[in-house]
Amino acid sequence: QQQVKQSPQSLIVQKGGISIINCAYENTAFDYFPWYQQFPGKGPALLIAIRPDVSEKKEGRFTISFNKSAKQFSLHIMDSQPGDSATYFCAARDQGGSEKLVFGKGTKLTVNP
Amino acid sequence: NAGVTQTPKFRVLKTGQSMTLLCAQDMNHEYMYWYRQDPGMGLRLIHYSVGEGTTAKGEVPDGYNVSRLKKQNFLLGLESAAPSQTSVYFCASSYTGTEDFEQYFGPGTRLTVT
């Protein structure tokens, strides 16, 4: 059972465009929703995160939009750059106290120059 | 600070062989995790530890064992490797009790089982 569903699997955007990646979840016990960025040959690294009591969080060109009633959240990358080309994972933390994250399957983003 | 380090970076095993992957962190984190990453499957949790001397099963624990004898180290063992265990393995660590929760990942170990 996939607890966090992520789409699309791959995304190609032109430089300067907006990249949008979507995630949906079912478990209402999730209390924290991070996005991780992974470059080829590297481990994932935290990009930005949001809590369910906030509808939007922005850090530079990266924005998370969160819809608690729909149990969906999305990552928007404004003015996408070739350096943003990477795999992006959404995740959710179960508030059970073990600090475990459940990850989506990932989106490979390619930003063409 | 080195952060999270993993040893080895690459390994090729024959079916039935055993090996141990070592993860070390120098951030004094309580929690440590082992994931495997396969194409199109995302990151799947194998085992995790909430403190020295404790371990617990994750989503895909079969065929793996772990030990956390020291707070800074988390070992992942494969007793009898199978081709299905060909994957990239990531270790991660995190602190607890803070608002800004983050898992810090190592650089990964690429394992091929033939």
Side-chain angles (χ1 to χ4, degrees), chain B:
Chain B
N1 287 350
V4 179
T5 58
Q6 293 183 231
T7 308
K9 289 185 170 50
F10 304 93
R11 185 72 185 269
V12 178
L13 287 179
K14 295 185 186 303
T15 298
Q17 287 184 321
S18 63
M19 77 164 295
T20 299
L21 282 67
L22 170 63
C23 175
Q25 53 94 3
D26 61 1
M27 296 174 282
N28 201 32
H29 287 168
E30 287 293 331
Y31 288 11
M32 297 187 73
Y33 315 82
W34 275 107
Y35 293 92
R36 60 177 291 172
Q37 183 176 25
D38 304 291
M41 298 297 292
L43 292 154
R44 293 182 293 170
L45 183 64
I46 304 172
H47 286 282
Y48 65 100
S49 169
V50 300
E52 181 179 319
T54 70
T55 63
K57 294 181 180 179
E59 180 186 354
V60 288
D62 294 343
Y64 305 95
N65 57 75
V66 289
S67 65
R68 182 112 180 259
L69 299 180
K70 293 183 178 180
K71 185 177 183 179
Q72 64 267 33
N73 295 337
F74 195 27
L75 305 178
L76 178 70
L78 287 74
E79 290 186 347
S80 180
S84 61
Q85 294 178 304
T86 293
S87 186
V88 180
Y89 292 85
F90 288 99
C91 176
S93 69
S94 70
Y95 41 77
T96 65
T98 67
E99 284 291 309
D100 295 325
F101 169 74
E102 178 175 355
Q103 287 189 6
Y104 294 81
F105 283 81
T109 294
R110 183 173 295 274
L111 174 67
T112 302
V113 182
T114 61

Side-chain angles (χ1 to χ4, degrees), chain A residues 13 19-20 24-26 48 50 63 92 103-104:
Chain A
V13 174
S19 304
I20 301 174
Y25 64 98
E26 290 294 327
I48 186 172
I50 197 168
T63 300
F103 285 86

